[in-house]
Structures are given as C-alpha cells and as structure tokens.
Amino acid sequence: LIHFIVILFFEFLSTCGYDRLCGMDFDEFFVQLLLEKSELSLEQLPEIERRKSRLKLLERAIEAKITLSATKETDVSVPDVIPGQHIDTKVTRPEFENLIQVYLNKIEGIIEKLWATANISPSDVDRVILAGGSSRIPCMKTLLWDLIGEDKVYGNANPLLCVAEGAAMYAAYLDDREVFGRELEIRTRTCHALGVATMGGKFEVIIPANLKTPCQRKKLFTTSVDNVTDVNINVYQGSAALVKDNTLIGTLSIAGLPQRIRDELDIWVTFKVSEEQSLSVLIEVAGMRHTGVFTFT
C-alpha cells in the first residue's frame, strides 16, 4: 500500500514596498485639490473647526475618488466647509490621476526594484492579485497592465478582504498544521529591515529586509558617554536612515551596568527572526543577558 502526501509549497522570493504610502495619501491630495479649485483655505480657522472642516472634506473626497473609478467626472458639493462658504465644483478623472502621478511613479519604481531583488522578470509572473481599495483606481490597473501584462492582472478576489482572508488562513495553519488536511511548507522573508536606534537618532540595521527566515544576526555596540549605568535598546522596523521615520516595535531596558568610560562597554545585540515573523532580541552585556520577543508587520 503506497501513501502519497500532498505538500503545498509557498516561497516568498522578495518583498518590496513603501509602508508610508496608502489610499489616505490620495485622499489628502484630493482634499487639497478641492480647496485649490474653490480658492479656499482652512488655515485661518481655530484648530477644532479646522479638524471638523477637514473631516467633512475628507469624507467627500473619498466618495468622489470612488465615483471616479467608475465615471469620467463627478460633482463635489461640501456645504459650509468654512462657515458661510461652500464648495461646489467638478472634478474629472484626468485631474485626479494627474494629482497622484507622483505616487504612481513611486509604485513603478517599487515594482522595478521587486524584479531586481527577486531576480525575476515580468515574463516569469503568472498572476498578479490586486489588493486594497486603491487597486480599483483605473490608472493603477493601467500601470500594472503596462508593466506586467493585462492578462496577468487578476481582480476577481475582493481587494478589501483578500489580505485579511490570507492572513486568517495563515494564522489557522500556524495554530494547527493539519487544518487543511495536507502538509504546507511556507518559506518567508523579512518584510522590513530590523534594527536599533543609535546616537543621533540613526537607524542601525541588524537584519536587512528580504532575508530568508528563520535568520539570525549579531552586532556589537557600546556606550557614547562615560559611566552609563542603564540603557534603553529601542527596536525599530523600516527603511529610513533615521528612526523617527521608522516604526518602534519595542524597547528593552537594562539597568545595573558597571560604570565604564565611553566606548569600553561591549553591548552585543542578537536579532533572531522566526518563520512566523516573530523577533527575538538578546542583549548581552557585562555578563548579563536580557531577552525580549516582539511581533512586527
């Protein structure tokens, strides 16, 4: 009797993106367009009133953006955006597309970088699955058609739910490896660079983006001032050179350090990332060991 085992194999060849770009950026640009077309400014309003007016504009901008995915133009009316002043204007799809062109250029650059890091070309791709509400914008689809091929862009999945559905399935698999009645092998990569804050607010990368997991890296640090007795190791994810432009995911505090002059205390920091994208941090200093476990996205 022969038993056959079916194994589903998934491997991340590369991850690439810009985590500070989303549909809200398009919405904010749309708000500015409405104000400019109506020759209005919210700057003279008190802060609370300015927030209320901006929220009102944002709601209409989102509605208009969605409408322009199906029509060539739309009327936008916002009563009393400023007390006694109204917005009543028309916005066309070309106006909106020209507005977000700077972001389309960024996306094109991200896709080109993806090919390079994955060491593949568009001809190697069988299907592109659209995700997120902004994938419904016509010029976004056109961009992908031009770069990859119209026949490969797959839009039948619900772009608002497909990421959550995939995450839920992966979580179910992590909880019970036999939940799908077959074996799965999933090989992941780090989706962001991971590192710590150093002097001057700089971001020191310990584990780079796109590294196969599980993975582990170790770096040596020291103190920048004399006689330090406690330190905070702030852990960040991101791609910017400065930590203020990245995302803080956790802090490890270490107290009771022996006093040393600057540059003479060795602080070893080890990052270990699991296949499940969990980060373990080990700090070794003066014979002491401190650990922490963090999750990141």
Side-chain angles (χ1 to χ4, degrees):
L1 183 63
I2 299 175
H3 293 277
F4 292 94
I5 299 175
V6 178
I7 300 178
L8 296 180
F9 177 68
F10 299 89
E11 180 177 6
F12 289 78
L13 299 180
S14 177
T15 65
C16 199
Y18 180 47
D19 60 4
R20 295 185 178 272
L21 169 60
C22 66
M24 283 294 293
D25 294 287
F26 302 158
D27 302 337
E28 289 292 341
F29 268 30
F30 209 127
V31 167
Q32 291 305 313
L33 176 65
L34 294 177
L35 289 171
E36 290 171 8
K37 287 175 71 74
S38 303
E39 298 183 348
L40 294 175
S41 173
L42 305 181
E43 297 306 314
Q44 75 278 14
L45 295 175
E47 183 177 355
I48 294 179
E49 294 301 320
R50 185 166 63 249
R51 288 180 180 177
K52 289 181 179 179
S53 295
R54 179 166 292 278
L55 180 59
K56 187 185 295 186
L57 277 168
L58 193 59
E59 290 173 349
R60 287 296 295 120
I62 293 172
E63 292 174 3
K65 179 186 70 173
I66 294 172
T67 300
L68 287 176
S69 291
T71 63
K72 294 291 187 179
E73 63 181 33
T74 185
D75 294 316
V76 182
S77 297
V78 188
D80 288 314
V81 64
I82 295 174
Q85 293 182 282
H86 318 290
I87 286 180
D88 191 3
T89 188
K90 187 184 299 291
V91 179
T92 66
R93 184 186 292 175
E95 279 183 304
F96 174 61
E97 292 178 348
N98 183 64
L99 193 69
I100 64 172
Q101 186 60 49
V102 61
Y103 289 128
L104 296 178
N105 294 339
K106 280 182 178 288
I107 293 169
E108 183 173 356
I110 288 169
I111 294 173
E112 293 299 332
K113 183 180 178 181
L114 183 68
W115 304 141
T117 56
N119 195 28
I120 61 174
S121 65
S123 61
D124 298 318
V125 176
D126 294 316
R127 178 175 291 184
V128 175
I129 298 176
L130 300 178
S134 294
S135 66
R136 290 171 169 165
I137 299 175
C139 63
M140 197 73 69
K141 291 182 180 178
T142 301
L143 174 66
L144 294 174
W145 291 346
D146 292 342
L147 293 176
I148 304 170
E150 182 175 351
D151 60 320
K152 297 181 178 182
V153 179
Y154 181 76
N156 291 354
N158 187 331
L160 299 178
L161 297 179
C162 61
V163 172
E165 289 171 343
M169 293 175 68
Y170 185 46
Y173 161 73
L174 293 178
D175 182 63
D176 179 4
R177 299 296 174 110
E178 298 181 357
V179 67
F180 297 114
R182 65 189 70 183
E183 291 190 22
L184 273 71
E185 184 175 348
I186 302 175
R187 296 182 182 176
T188 62
R189 289 177 179 263
T190 53
C191 51
H192 298 283
L194 298 164
V196 298
T198 58
M199 190 172 60
K202 295 179 181 178
F203 180 53
E204 180 69 23
V205 174
I206 296 179
I207 289 186
N210 268 314
L211 201 63
K212 287 184 179 180
T213 59
C215 58
Q216 179 173 310
R217 293 286 175 89
K218 186 175 185 178
K219 274 194 175 184
L220 176 63
F221 298 88
T222 188
T223 54
S224 58
V225 295
D226 296 339
N227 300 322
V228 170
T229 58
D230 57 270
V231 294
N232 289 326
I233 307 295
N234 293 315
V235 181
Y236 285 84
Q237 70 174 31
S239 57
L242 299 178
V243 293
K244 69 180 181 66
D245 299 318
N246 294 325
T247 301
L248 177 68
I249 59 175
T251 299
L252 273 176
S253 298
I254 305 170
L257 298 176
Q259 294 188 17
R260 299 281 192 278
I261 63 172
R262 59 177 296 179
D263 298 331
E264 286 202 356
L265 185 65
D266 290 346
I267 303 174
W268 286 99
V269 179
T270 303
F271 276 19
K272 183 177 181 180
V273 178
S274 69
E275 289 182 344
E276 293 79 19
Q277 303 290 289
S278 174
L279 171 64
S280 300
V281 178
L282 170 64
I283 312 296
E284 298 172 284
V285 53
M288 297 182 292
R289 294 164 62 92
H290 301 262
T291 61
V293 179
F294 307 99
T295 57
F296 57 96
T297 57

